[in-house]
Amino acid sequence: MISPPMKTHLLPARTISPVSNGCAAAAIPSSPSMAARPRRIPSGLQSVTGRGKFSLAAVTLDDYLPMRSTEVKNRTSTDDITSLRLITAAKTPYLPDGRFDLEAYDSLINMQIEGGAEGVIVGGTTGEGHLMSWDEHIMLIGHTVNCFGTRIKVIGNTGSNSTREAVHATEQGFAVGMHAALHINPYYGKTSIEGMISHFEAVLPMGPTIIYNVPSRTAQDIPPEVIMAISGYPNMAGVKECVGHERVKHYTDKGIAIWSGNDDECHDSRWKYGATGVISVASNLVPGLMHSLMYKGENATLNEKLLPLMKWLFCQPNPIALNTALAQLGVSRPVFRLPYVPLPLEKRIEFVRIVEAIGRDNFVGQKEARILDDDEFVLISRY
Protein backbone atom coordinates (compact mmCIF):
# COMPACT_ATOMS: atom_id res chain seq x y z
CA MET A 1 0.00 0.00 0.00
CA ILE A 2 1.33 3.41 -0.95
CA SER A 3 0.75 6.35 1.34
CA PRO A 4 0.48 9.95 0.17
CA PRO A 5 3.82 11.69 -0.49
CA MET A 6 5.60 12.93 2.59
CA LYS A 7 8.88 14.77 2.91
CA THR A 8 11.50 12.84 4.82
CA HIS A 9 15.02 13.68 5.91
CA LEU A 10 17.89 11.58 7.09
CA LEU A 11 18.86 12.61 10.59
CA PRO A 12 21.42 11.80 13.18
CA ALA A 13 20.10 10.21 16.37
CA ARG A 14 19.00 12.56 19.12
CA THR A 15 17.69 12.09 22.62
CA ILE A 16 14.12 13.16 23.39
CA SER A 17 11.38 12.22 25.81
CA PRO A 18 8.44 10.07 24.70
CA VAL A 19 5.07 11.73 24.39
CA SER A 20 2.06 10.30 26.21
CA ASN A 21 -1.02 9.63 24.07
CA GLY A 22 0.16 11.91 21.29
CA CYS A 23 -0.53 15.10 23.29
CA ALA A 24 1.68 18.11 23.72
CA ALA A 25 3.12 17.41 27.17
CA ALA A 26 6.24 15.26 27.25
CA ALA A 27 6.31 12.25 29.55
CA ILE A 28 9.14 11.17 31.79
CA PRO A 29 10.69 7.83 30.80
CA SER A 30 9.56 5.17 33.23
CA SER A 31 12.81 3.24 33.42
CA PRO A 32 16.50 4.17 33.52
CA SER A 33 17.21 1.87 30.59
CA MET A 34 14.66 3.66 28.47
CA ALA A 35 15.94 7.07 29.49
CA ALA A 36 19.43 6.13 28.36
CA ARG A 37 18.31 4.89 24.94
CA PRO A 38 18.93 7.31 22.04
CA ARG A 39 15.72 8.31 20.33
CA ARG A 40 15.40 8.73 16.55
CA ILE A 41 13.69 11.70 14.98
CA PRO A 42 11.84 10.67 11.82
CA SER A 43 11.88 14.02 10.09
CA GLY A 44 13.43 17.49 10.34
CA LEU A 45 17.06 18.58 10.48
CA GLN A 46 19.40 19.87 13.09
CA SER A 47 21.02 23.17 12.25
CA VAL A 48 23.90 22.34 9.95
CA THR A 49 25.95 24.16 7.35
CA GLY A 50 25.49 23.21 3.70
CA ARG A 51 28.21 22.99 1.09
CA GLY A 52 27.46 26.49 -0.14
CA LYS A 53 27.51 29.75 1.78
CA PHE A 54 23.94 29.35 3.04
CA SER A 55 23.15 27.25 6.09
CA LEU A 56 20.27 24.81 6.10
CA ALA A 57 17.22 25.73 8.15
CA ALA A 58 17.27 24.76 11.81
CA VAL A 59 14.35 22.60 12.90
CA THR A 60 13.36 22.35 16.56
CA LEU A 61 11.82 19.42 18.38
CA ASP A 62 8.41 21.06 18.04
CA ASP A 63 8.61 20.66 14.27
CA TYR A 64 9.09 16.92 14.11
CA LEU A 65 6.37 14.34 13.73
CA PRO A 66 4.08 13.12 15.22
CA MET A 67 1.64 15.96 14.80
CA ARG A 68 0.40 16.69 18.30
CA SER A 69 -2.80 18.21 19.59
CA THR A 70 -3.84 19.64 22.92
CA GLU A 71 -7.35 18.30 22.35
CA VAL A 72 -7.67 15.27 24.62
CA LYS A 73 -11.39 14.79 25.21
CA ASN A 74 -11.62 11.80 22.87
CA ARG A 75 -8.29 10.26 23.78
CA THR A 76 -8.10 6.77 25.22
CA SER A 77 -5.66 5.84 27.95
CA THR A 78 -3.41 2.81 27.62
CA ASP A 79 -5.22 1.31 30.62
CA ASP A 80 -8.47 1.44 28.65
CA ILE A 81 -6.88 -0.87 26.08
CA THR A 82 -5.13 -3.26 28.46
CA SER A 83 -8.47 -4.02 30.14
CA LEU A 84 -9.98 -5.50 26.97
CA ARG A 85 -10.51 -9.28 27.03
CA LEU A 86 -12.14 -9.92 23.65
CA ILE A 87 -10.99 -8.02 20.57
CA THR A 88 -12.29 -9.12 17.18
CA ALA A 89 -10.05 -8.94 14.12
CA ALA A 90 -12.93 -7.73 11.96
CA LYS A 91 -13.69 -8.94 8.45
CA THR A 92 -14.13 -6.36 5.67
CA PRO A 93 -17.08 -7.24 3.36
CA TYR A 94 -17.23 -6.18 -0.29
CA LEU A 95 -19.78 -5.22 -2.90
CA PRO A 96 -19.75 -7.03 -6.28
CA ASP A 97 -17.61 -4.24 -7.77
CA GLY A 98 -15.01 -4.68 -5.03
CA ARG A 99 -15.80 -1.58 -2.97
CA PHE A 100 -16.49 -1.86 0.76
CA ASP A 101 -19.97 -3.09 1.66
CA LEU A 102 -20.45 -0.69 4.57
CA GLU A 103 -23.98 -1.88 5.27
CA ALA A 104 -22.75 -5.44 5.80
CA TYR A 105 -19.73 -4.15 7.74
CA ASP A 106 -21.90 -2.11 10.09
CA SER A 107 -24.15 -5.09 10.68
CA LEU A 108 -21.14 -7.27 11.50
CA ILE A 109 -19.72 -4.71 13.97
CA ASN A 110 -23.13 -4.41 15.64
CA MET A 111 -23.20 -8.18 16.04
CA GLN A 112 -19.76 -8.05 17.63
CA ILE A 113 -20.92 -5.45 20.14
CA GLU A 114 -24.08 -7.41 20.93
CA GLY A 115 -22.00 -10.57 21.37
CA GLY A 116 -19.72 -8.95 23.92
CA ALA A 117 -16.63 -7.96 21.94
CA GLU A 118 -14.97 -4.92 23.53
CA GLY A 119 -12.65 -3.96 20.70
CA VAL A 120 -12.20 -4.42 16.95
CA ILE A 121 -9.09 -4.47 14.81
CA VAL A 122 -9.84 -2.53 11.61
CA GLY A 123 -7.87 -3.33 8.47
CA GLY A 124 -5.76 -6.08 10.01
CA THR A 125 -4.78 -9.28 8.23
CA THR A 126 -8.28 -10.66 8.76
CA GLY A 127 -9.75 -7.40 7.50
CA GLU A 128 -7.43 -7.46 4.47
CA GLY A 129 -5.75 -4.16 5.16
CA HIS A 130 -2.92 -5.28 2.87
CA LEU A 131 -5.42 -5.28 -0.03
CA MET A 132 -6.56 -1.72 0.67
CA SER A 133 -5.20 1.61 -0.44
CA TRP A 134 -4.26 3.83 2.48
CA ASP A 135 -7.21 6.07 1.58
CA GLU A 136 -9.57 3.10 1.97
CA HIS A 137 -7.81 2.00 5.11
CA ILE A 138 -8.03 5.32 6.96
CA MET A 139 -11.58 5.86 5.72
CA LEU A 140 -12.69 2.55 7.23
CA ILE A 141 -11.01 3.38 10.55
CA GLY A 142 -12.75 6.78 10.58
CA HIS A 143 -16.09 5.23 9.62
CA THR A 144 -15.82 2.70 12.44
CA VAL A 145 -14.98 5.38 14.98
CA ASN A 146 -17.78 7.62 13.72
CA CYS A 147 -20.42 4.89 13.90
CA PHE A 148 -19.29 2.77 16.85
CA GLY A 149 -16.55 4.61 18.73
CA THR A 150 -18.65 5.19 21.83
CA ARG A 151 -19.63 1.51 22.08
CA ILE A 152 -16.43 -0.36 21.23
CA LYS A 153 -12.71 0.39 21.12
CA VAL A 154 -11.43 0.88 17.58
CA ILE A 155 -7.88 -0.35 17.04
CA GLY A 156 -6.51 0.56 13.64
CA ASN A 157 -3.91 -1.59 11.96
CA THR A 158 -1.59 1.17 10.79
CA GLY A 159 1.57 -0.92 10.74
CA SER A 160 3.85 -1.28 7.74
CA ASN A 161 7.26 -2.63 6.82
CA SER A 162 8.10 0.97 5.93
CA THR A 163 8.59 3.13 9.00
CA ARG A 164 7.64 6.19 6.97
CA GLU A 165 4.31 4.64 6.02
CA ALA A 166 3.69 3.40 9.57
CA VAL A 167 4.30 6.88 10.99
CA HIS A 168 2.10 8.59 8.41
CA ALA A 169 -0.78 6.09 8.66
CA THR A 170 -0.71 6.13 12.45
CA GLU A 171 -0.90 9.93 12.49
CA GLN A 172 -3.92 9.74 10.22
CA GLY A 173 -5.54 6.95 12.23
CA PHE A 174 -5.34 8.87 15.49
CA ALA A 175 -6.45 12.04 13.68
CA VAL A 176 -9.70 10.31 12.68
CA GLY A 177 -10.23 9.09 16.22
CA MET A 178 -8.98 5.52 16.58
CA HIS A 179 -8.40 4.51 20.17
CA ALA A 180 -5.22 2.52 19.61
CA ALA A 181 -2.86 1.31 16.89
CA LEU A 182 -1.72 -2.20 16.00
CA HIS A 183 1.88 -2.43 14.77
CA ILE A 184 3.74 -5.32 13.19
CA ASN A 185 7.49 -5.61 12.80
CA PRO A 186 8.91 -4.86 9.34
CA TYR A 187 8.24 -7.93 7.21
CA TYR A 188 9.84 -9.22 3.98
CA GLY A 189 12.64 -6.65 3.95
CA LYS A 190 13.38 -7.52 7.58
CA THR A 191 15.59 -5.46 9.85
CA SER A 192 17.89 -5.95 12.84
CA ILE A 193 16.96 -6.03 16.53
CA GLU A 194 18.03 -2.40 16.85
CA GLY A 195 16.07 -1.59 13.71
CA MET A 196 12.90 -3.13 15.16
CA ILE A 197 13.29 -1.12 18.34
CA SER A 198 13.78 2.09 16.37
CA HIS A 199 10.78 1.27 14.15
CA PHE A 200 8.48 0.88 17.13
CA GLU A 201 9.95 3.93 18.86
CA ALA A 202 8.93 6.01 15.84
CA VAL A 203 5.23 5.22 16.34
CA LEU A 204 4.87 4.74 20.10
CA PRO A 205 4.67 8.47 20.95
CA MET A 206 1.39 8.85 19.03
CA GLY A 207 -1.03 6.90 21.19
CA PRO A 208 -1.83 3.51 22.78
CA THR A 209 -0.12 0.76 20.80
CA ILE A 210 -0.35 -3.03 20.56
CA ILE A 211 2.68 -4.77 19.06
CA TYR A 212 1.84 -7.76 16.86
CA ASN A 213 4.20 -10.74 16.69
CA VAL A 214 3.32 -13.32 14.03
CA PRO A 215 6.52 -14.89 12.65
CA SER A 216 4.54 -17.22 10.36
CA ARG A 217 3.63 -14.14 8.30
CA THR A 218 6.60 -11.81 8.82
CA ALA A 219 9.30 -14.53 8.73
CA GLN A 220 10.92 -12.79 11.71
CA ASP A 221 10.18 -13.20 15.40
CA ILE A 222 10.02 -10.16 17.67
CA PRO A 223 12.25 -11.44 20.49
CA PRO A 224 11.66 -10.56 24.14
CA GLU A 225 14.61 -8.16 24.16
CA VAL A 226 12.72 -5.89 21.74
CA ILE A 227 9.54 -5.92 23.82
CA MET A 228 11.48 -5.28 27.03
CA ALA A 229 13.29 -2.35 25.40
CA ILE A 230 10.00 -0.60 24.57
CA SER A 231 7.91 -1.82 27.51
CA GLY A 232 8.54 1.34 29.53
CA TYR A 233 6.85 3.63 27.03
CA PRO A 234 3.57 5.04 28.43
CA ASN A 235 1.73 4.16 25.21
CA MET A 236 2.91 0.54 25.13
CA ALA A 237 -0.37 -1.32 25.73
CA GLY A 238 0.90 -4.85 25.17
CA VAL A 239 1.54 -7.57 22.62
CA LYS A 240 -0.60 -9.73 20.35
CA GLU A 241 1.53 -12.87 20.61
CA CYS A 242 1.31 -15.84 18.25
CA VAL A 243 4.41 -17.79 19.31
CA GLY A 244 2.75 -19.85 22.07
CA HIS A 245 2.14 -20.33 25.77
CA GLU A 246 5.77 -20.21 26.91
CA ARG A 247 6.26 -16.77 25.37
CA VAL A 248 2.94 -15.60 26.79
CA LYS A 249 3.98 -16.62 30.30
CA HIS A 250 7.41 -15.01 29.89
CA TYR A 251 5.71 -11.65 29.37
CA THR A 252 2.84 -11.97 31.82
CA ASP A 253 5.30 -12.86 34.58
CA LYS A 254 6.87 -9.46 33.91
CA GLY A 255 3.53 -7.62 33.99
CA ILE A 256 3.20 -7.06 30.24
CA ALA A 257 -0.33 -7.34 28.83
CA ILE A 258 -0.64 -10.11 26.26
CA TRP A 259 -3.44 -11.07 23.89
CA SER A 260 -3.28 -14.51 22.38
CA GLY A 261 -3.21 -14.31 18.59
CA ASN A 262 -4.19 -17.97 18.25
CA ASP A 263 -7.85 -18.86 18.77
CA ASP A 264 -7.05 -22.51 19.44
CA GLU A 265 -4.66 -21.54 22.28
CA CYS A 266 -6.52 -18.58 23.76
CA HIS A 267 -8.45 -20.47 26.47
CA ASP A 268 -5.30 -21.90 28.04
CA SER A 269 -3.34 -18.69 27.45
CA ARG A 270 -6.01 -16.77 29.34
CA TRP A 271 -6.64 -19.12 32.26
CA LYS A 272 -3.32 -20.97 32.66
CA TYR A 273 -0.66 -18.56 31.45
CA GLY A 274 -2.01 -15.15 32.45
CA ALA A 275 -2.95 -13.62 29.09
CA THR A 276 -5.24 -10.60 29.19
CA GLY A 277 -7.46 -12.04 26.45
CA VAL A 278 -7.54 -12.79 22.74
CA ILE A 279 -7.51 -10.95 19.44
CA SER A 280 -9.80 -13.35 17.67
CA VAL A 281 -10.80 -14.45 14.18
CA ALA A 282 -13.42 -16.91 15.46
CA SER A 283 -15.33 -14.15 17.27
CA ASN A 284 -16.42 -12.81 13.87
CA LEU A 285 -18.63 -15.93 13.80
CA VAL A 286 -19.34 -16.73 17.47
CA PRO A 287 -18.69 -13.58 19.53
CA GLY A 288 -20.92 -14.66 22.42
CA LEU A 289 -19.13 -17.98 22.89
CA MET A 290 -15.70 -16.33 22.61
CA HIS A 291 -16.80 -13.80 25.24
CA SER A 292 -17.73 -16.68 27.54
CA LEU A 293 -14.36 -18.32 26.88
CA MET A 294 -12.56 -15.16 28.02
CA TYR A 295 -14.77 -14.13 30.93
CA LYS A 296 -16.39 -17.09 32.64
CA GLY A 297 -13.42 -19.03 33.94
CA GLU A 298 -11.86 -22.24 32.74
CA ASN A 299 -14.26 -24.14 30.54
CA ALA A 300 -12.58 -27.08 28.85
CA THR A 301 -15.92 -28.33 27.54
CA LEU A 302 -16.68 -25.12 25.64
CA ASN A 303 -13.10 -24.90 24.41
CA GLU A 304 -13.27 -28.45 23.04
CA LYS A 305 -16.58 -27.66 21.39
CA LEU A 306 -15.06 -24.68 19.57
CA LEU A 307 -11.76 -26.27 18.56
CA PRO A 308 -13.09 -27.85 15.33
CA LEU A 309 -14.29 -24.41 14.19
CA MET A 310 -11.01 -22.76 15.17
CA LYS A 311 -8.95 -25.33 13.30
CA TRP A 312 -11.25 -25.14 10.27
CA LEU A 313 -10.76 -21.36 10.15
CA PHE A 314 -7.04 -21.90 9.58
CA CYS A 315 -7.17 -24.85 7.19
CA GLN A 316 -5.93 -22.36 4.58
CA PRO A 317 -4.30 -18.97 5.18
CA ASN A 318 -6.56 -16.57 7.06
CA PRO A 319 -8.93 -14.91 6.03
CA ILE A 320 -9.91 -17.40 3.30
CA ALA A 321 -12.03 -19.63 5.55
CA LEU A 322 -13.61 -16.73 7.44
CA ASN A 323 -14.63 -15.01 4.21
CA THR A 324 -16.14 -18.27 2.99
CA ALA A 325 -17.98 -18.85 6.27
CA LEU A 326 -19.53 -15.38 6.45
CA ALA A 327 -20.75 -15.77 2.87
CA GLN A 328 -22.24 -19.18 3.74
CA LEU A 329 -24.06 -17.60 6.70
CA GLY A 330 -25.42 -14.79 4.52
CA VAL A 331 -23.67 -12.14 6.63
CA SER A 332 -21.51 -10.91 3.75
CA ARG A 333 -21.73 -11.25 -0.01
CA PRO A 334 -19.66 -14.06 -1.58
CA VAL A 335 -17.21 -11.51 -3.01
CA PHE A 336 -13.45 -12.00 -2.72
CA ARG A 337 -10.68 -9.57 -3.53
CA LEU A 338 -7.94 -11.59 -5.20
CA PRO A 339 -5.60 -13.24 -4.42
CA TYR A 340 -8.10 -14.78 -1.97
CA VAL A 341 -10.50 -17.39 -3.32
CA PRO A 342 -13.18 -19.39 -1.47
CA LEU A 343 -12.59 -22.74 0.16
CA PRO A 344 -13.37 -25.82 -1.97
CA LEU A 345 -16.72 -27.57 -1.83
CA GLU A 346 -15.71 -30.24 0.69
CA LYS A 347 -14.60 -27.59 3.18
CA ARG A 348 -17.83 -25.65 2.72
CA ILE A 349 -19.77 -28.82 3.48
CA GLU A 350 -17.62 -29.33 6.58
CA PHE A 351 -18.46 -25.81 7.78
CA VAL A 352 -22.20 -26.48 7.57
CA ARG A 353 -21.67 -29.54 9.75
CA ILE A 354 -19.65 -27.51 12.26
CA VAL A 355 -22.47 -24.96 12.48
CA GLU A 356 -24.95 -27.76 13.16
CA ALA A 357 -22.71 -29.23 15.87
CA ILE A 358 -22.17 -25.93 17.71
CA GLY A 359 -25.71 -24.65 17.09
CA ARG A 360 -26.85 -22.10 14.53
CA ASP A 361 -28.10 -19.77 17.25
CA ASN A 362 -24.54 -19.26 18.46
CA PHE A 363 -23.41 -17.85 15.10
CA VAL A 364 -23.87 -14.35 13.69
CA GLY A 365 -26.65 -13.64 11.23
CA GLN A 366 -30.15 -14.98 10.84
CA LYS A 367 -30.00 -17.10 7.69
CA GLU A 368 -29.36 -20.82 7.55
CA ALA A 369 -25.85 -21.89 6.65
CA ARG A 370 -25.60 -22.78 2.97
CA ILE A 371 -22.96 -24.73 1.08
CA LEU A 372 -23.04 -22.33 -1.93
CA ASP A 373 -22.15 -23.33 -5.47
CA ASP A 374 -18.80 -22.39 -6.96
CA ASP A 375 -20.45 -20.05 -9.47
CA GLU A 376 -22.05 -18.01 -6.67
CA PHE A 377 -18.67 -16.58 -5.67
CA VAL A 378 -17.34 -13.41 -7.29
CA LEU A 379 -13.60 -12.85 -7.61
CA ILE A 380 -12.38 -9.27 -8.07
CA SER A 381 -8.97 -8.34 -9.45
CA ARG A 382 -9.61 -4.62 -10.08
CA TYR A 383 -11.41 -2.39 -7.63
Side-chain angles (χ1 to χ4, degrees):
M1 293 179 289
I2 306 300
S3 59
M6 186 179 76
K7 294 181 180 179
T8 58
H9 304 279
L10 181 64
L11 321 167
R14 295 178 65 185
T15 302
I16 61 172
S17 299
V19 180
S20 177
N21 289 328
C23 300
I28 303 299
S30 60
S31 69
S33 61
M34 194 179 91
R37 169 171 289 285
R39 301 293 310 287
R40 277 74 173 173
I41 301 175
S43 67
L45 290 171
Q46 297 182 15
S47 181
V48 295
T49 302
R51 293 184 179 181
K53 62 181 180 179
F54 301 107
S55 62
L56 299 178
V59 178
T60 69
L61 288 177
D62 290 334
D63 295 314
Y64 97 95
L65 300 179
M67 298 178 288
R68 307 187 194 118
S69 170
T70 56
E71 179 60 67
V72 296
K73 67 179 180 181
N74 293 322
R75 281 294 188 188
T76 302
S77 73
T78 304
D79 289 343
D80 291 332
I81 303 302
T82 58
S83 65
L84 306 178
R85 303 289 186 200
L86 177 60
I87 301 171
T88 298
K91 147 79 175 164
T92 306
Y94 303 115
L95 295 167
D97 62 3
R99 291 177 299 139
F100 294 160
D101 185 346
L102 291 178
E103 184 177 352
Y105 178 82
D106 291 350
S107 177
L108 181 61
I109 300 300
N110 269 315
M111 287 185 277
Q112 295 306 305
I113 295 169
E114 291 166 4
E118 303 152 296
V120 287
I121 304 291
V122 179
T125 306
T126 304
E128 301 178 19
H130 48 290
L131 302 186
M132 299 176 188
S133 69
W134 276 120
D135 284 346
E136 288 181 311
H137 205 137
I138 300 302
M139 181 276 281
L140 191 60
I141 292 172
H143 172 83
T144 310
V145 171
N146 195 36
C147 295
F148 306 103
T150 60
R151 301 166 61 202
I152 197 167
K153 296 302 181 189
V154 179
I155 303 164
N157 170 35
T158 54
S160 173
N161 60 351
S162 160
T163 305
R164 181 187 78 95
E165 286 193 6
V167 167
H168 195 51
T170 303
E171 287 172 346
Q172 292 181 323
F174 280 117
V176 300
M178 71 182 184
H179 301 108
L182 181 72
H183 278 283
I184 203 162
N185 52 309
Y187 48 88
Y188 187 70
K190 302 174 289 186
T191 186
S192 63
I193 298 297
E194 189 65 28
M196 274 194 265
I197 294 170
S198 296
H199 177 81
F200 293 135
E201 284 179 334
V203 295
L204 274 164
M206 299 180 199
T209 300
I210 297 174
I211 303 300
Y212 181 18
N213 186 32
V214 56
S216 64
R217 289 190 181 272
T218 64
Q220 186 177 34
D221 181 33
I222 304 175
E225 63 186 287
V226 172
I227 300 303
M228 298 313 299
I230 62 175
S231 63
Y233 279 76
N235 287 328
M236 174 63 174
V239 181
K240 177 185 177 182
E241 183 58 74
C242 298
V243 167
H245 297 314
E246 185 176 337
R247 183 71 65 83
V248 169
K249 189 174 188 304
H250 176 82
Y251 290 136
T252 58
D253 284 349
K254 298 180 183 300
I256 296 173
I258 299 295
W259 292 269
S260 173
N262 300 322
D263 281 317
D264 61 347
E265 296 181 348
C266 71
H267 172 269
D268 288 354
S269 285
R270 169 81 174 97
W271 300 110
K272 296 180 180 180
Y273 298 96
T276 295
V278 62
I279 297 179
S280 175
V281 175
S283 57
N284 280 277
L285 301 174
V286 287
L289 295 182
M290 292 303 296
H291 182 271
S292 295
L293 210 60
M294 291 296 100
Y295 269 95
K296 296 187 177 179
E298 286 193 56
N299 190 336
T301 301
L302 177 58
N303 191 48
E304 288 293 326
K305 185 176 183 178
L306 289 173
L307 280 176
L309 171 64
M310 293 168 174
K311 294 189 180 300
W312 180 89
L313 280 168
F314 292 89
C315 66
Q316 289 189 11
N318 181 52
I320 292 170
L322 176 64
N323 292 354
T324 305
L326 287 170
Q328 290 185 250
L329 293 170
V331 173
S332 65
R333 300 170 194 260
V335 178
F336 283 65
R337 282 186 175 183
L338 289 169
Y340 296 125
V341 298
L343 289 179
L345 178 61
E346 61 270 20
K347 285 295 182 181
R348 303 201 297 267
I349 293 172
E350 183 181 344
F351 176 68
V352 172
R353 291 172 181 161
I354 290 172
V355 171
E356 292 171 351
I358 295 175
R360 178 63 184 89
D361 290 346
N362 291 308
F363 285 77
V364 294
Q366 303 297 323
K367 299 177 181 179
E368 289 302 311
R370 297 177 56 219
I371 295 172
L372 297 178
D373 295 327
D374 288 346
D375 60 8
E376 293 184 73
F377 290 95
V378 177
L379 308 182
I380 304 292
S381 61
R382 294 192 179 191
Y383 41 85

